[in-house]
Amino acid sequence: MSAGALHEPRVTVLLAEDEPALPGLDRLRGDITLREVRGDNGLAEALAETDILVVTDFRVEALEAAWPDPCPIRWVHATSAGVDALMIPPIKNGDFPVTNASGIFDRGIAEYVLGAVLLFAKDTLTNLALQRERRWQHRETAMIRGARALVVGAGSIGREIATVLGGLGMEVVGTARRARQDSAFARVHRQEDLPALLGDADYVIVAAPLTDDTRGLFDDRHFRLMKPGAVFINVGRGAVVRTRALLGALDSGRLAGAALDVFEEEPLPPEHPLWRYPNVMLSAHMAGDFVGWRRALGDQFVDNFQRWRRGQPLANPVDKARGYGRR
């Protein structure tokens, strides 16, 4: 039941305590009954009267505790590309679709990765350190044209990264669940081939979702297999990387450096050792957050709602068994 509902579709938006309303939903005024929930108060009551749940704040413990039985929810939409945290049992096993925000953050993340690649190729961190010391020190820096990049996770974000880097003359290969030919990459290999690929890459870029197969993927063994002097960039999920193994690779000098936007523990505590490395760039899980991104998320949901109301297939369906968007 969608367009033939006996009442206006009831849309509940789950927001963080201090989060403003999701922009763009005013376009649906008169077509839906809209409810915003911040915090846990009223969450159970709202879910019991919800047809469509839009999740911007992943307070999954509270969400699972408040999940209604019986459940009236007919569609869950996540305003993020990654949905691993949202796959609580009642959602993963529920008889309703889940969609995500695939496509919104691709270009922003790709530009972030390009900036990180240039940061290390042009030795900008050293420039900034010398500037603070008022030291004039001439050096030579690397060209990125002809350098090799390995993108771990050849989904929509990985493809955009490959497109941007490839456009500047880098040789980009990727890994995915299955090998395939892809115009954005020189080649997409099976994920099982990752160990054999690490030794050739000047830049290793993680853009993979968090799944049972990728959790803790970058451990001591994989860092040891990387090319000496390579740069490690993570814009995927923090738990794909064993932080202790990364620290060991940095301490040993095997890595030239790292750019990290996601972490096993977020926010990163001020006492965490990663803060002290001069060859590491850290950012606060913001690689894809461009000016206007929240409006883009709202518009994306509105467009998908129009599809739902017309009985058309929803855009960006998630494979709930695997925990990421279908290709």
Side-chain angles (χ1 to χ4, degrees):
M1 180 173 64
S2 56
L6 298 178
H7 53 254
E8 290 181 348
R10 301 164 300 184
V11 178
T12 296
V13 183
L14 182 56
L15 299 157
E17 292 273 8
D18 57 351
E19 186 179 0
L22 189 64
L25 271 61
D26 54 326
R27 290 167 51 193
L28 298 177
R29 186 175 294 126
D31 295 329
I32 65 172
T33 299
L34 180 63
R35 187 170 186 173
E36 296 175 348
V37 177
R38 294 175 176 83
D40 300 340
N41 289 337
L43 178 58
E45 294 81 359
L47 293 177
E49 298 178 349
T50 295
D51 298 303
I52 302 169
L53 177 63
V54 180
V55 183
T56 74
D57 179 37
F58 285 20
R59 290 178 288 111
V60 292
E61 290 183 1
L63 187 60
E64 186 169 8
W67 199 262
D69 183 19
C71 177
I73 294 171
R74 294 182 277 155
W75 168 25
V76 174
H77 176 73
T79 60
S80 63
V83 295
D84 49 276
L86 191 58
M87 288 296 105
I88 57 177
I91 292 180
K92 186 173 183 178
N93 301 324
D95 187 22
F96 49 78
V98 174
T99 56
N100 68 358
S102 179
I104 296 293
F105 301 105
D106 296 6
R107 184 68 183 193
I109 292 176
E111 291 185 5
Y112 176 98
V113 170
L114 172 61
V117 168
L118 289 171
L119 179 84
F120 286 99
K122 301 308 172 188
D123 202 18
T124 301
L125 290 175
T126 302
N127 285 342
L128 294 173
L130 292 171
Q131 179 179 329
R132 287 190 291 269
E133 297 173 9
R134 303 185 183 187
R135 288 176 53 196
W136 181 275
Q137 182 177 318
H138 179 269
R139 303 175 326 283
E140 296 177 346
T141 60
M143 299 285 283
I144 66 171
R145 183 176 60 195
R148 294 178 175 177
L150 169 61
V151 179
V152 181
S156 64
I157 292 173
R159 291 192 82 255
E160 190 68 19
I161 292 170
T163 298
V164 169
L165 299 184
L168 293 174
M170 295 184 70
E171 179 186 337
V172 188
V173 299
T175 63
R177 198 161 54 90
R178 297 188 184 94
R180 67 175 190 267
Q181 294 296 328
D182 190 313
S183 60
F185 295 88
R187 172 72 175 165
V188 175
H189 299 263
R190 299 178 310 154
Q191 187 67 35
E192 290 87 345
D193 296 331
L194 177 63
L197 300 170
L198 288 169
D200 292 329
D202 300 297
Y203 300 88
V204 175
I205 302 155
V206 177
L210 182 62
T211 67
D212 291 341
D213 293 331
T214 63
R215 186 180 296 275
L217 177 65
F218 276 86
D219 54 11
D220 289 324
R221 172 175 174 260
H222 281 93
F223 281 115
R224 283 196 300 269
L225 290 171
M226 286 179 60
K227 181 179 181 179
V231 171
F232 183 75
I233 301 170
N234 189 6
V235 291
R237 281 290 182 262
V240 173
V241 179
R242 300 290 188 197
T243 304
R244 288 186 179 180
L246 172 60
L247 292 171
L250 291 166
D251 289 335
S252 71
R254 187 169 192 85
L255 294 181
L260 308 171
D261 185 56
V262 290
F263 306 88
E264 282 190 287
E265 182 180 5
E266 295 185 8
L268 194 67
E271 68 277 6
H272 199 283
L274 276 171
W275 291 107
R276 66 179 170 81
Y277 287 86
N279 60 338
V280 173
M281 182 186 78
L282 308 178
S283 56
H285 204 145
M286 53 182 277
D289 294 352
F290 56 92
V291 175
W293 65 276
R294 297 190 78 254
R295 178 71 194 209
L297 289 174
D299 289 343
Q300 183 187 52
F301 169 73
V302 169
D303 292 344
N304 221 3
F305 174 82
Q306 304 293 10
R307 297 174 65 90
W308 182 84
R309 185 168 58 176
R310 292 190 295 263
Q312 297 174 335
L314 291 171
N316 296 341
V318 167
D319 185 328
K320 293 197 284 185
R322 295 194 174 99
Y324 53 83
R326 301 171 190 161
R327 285 190 56 84

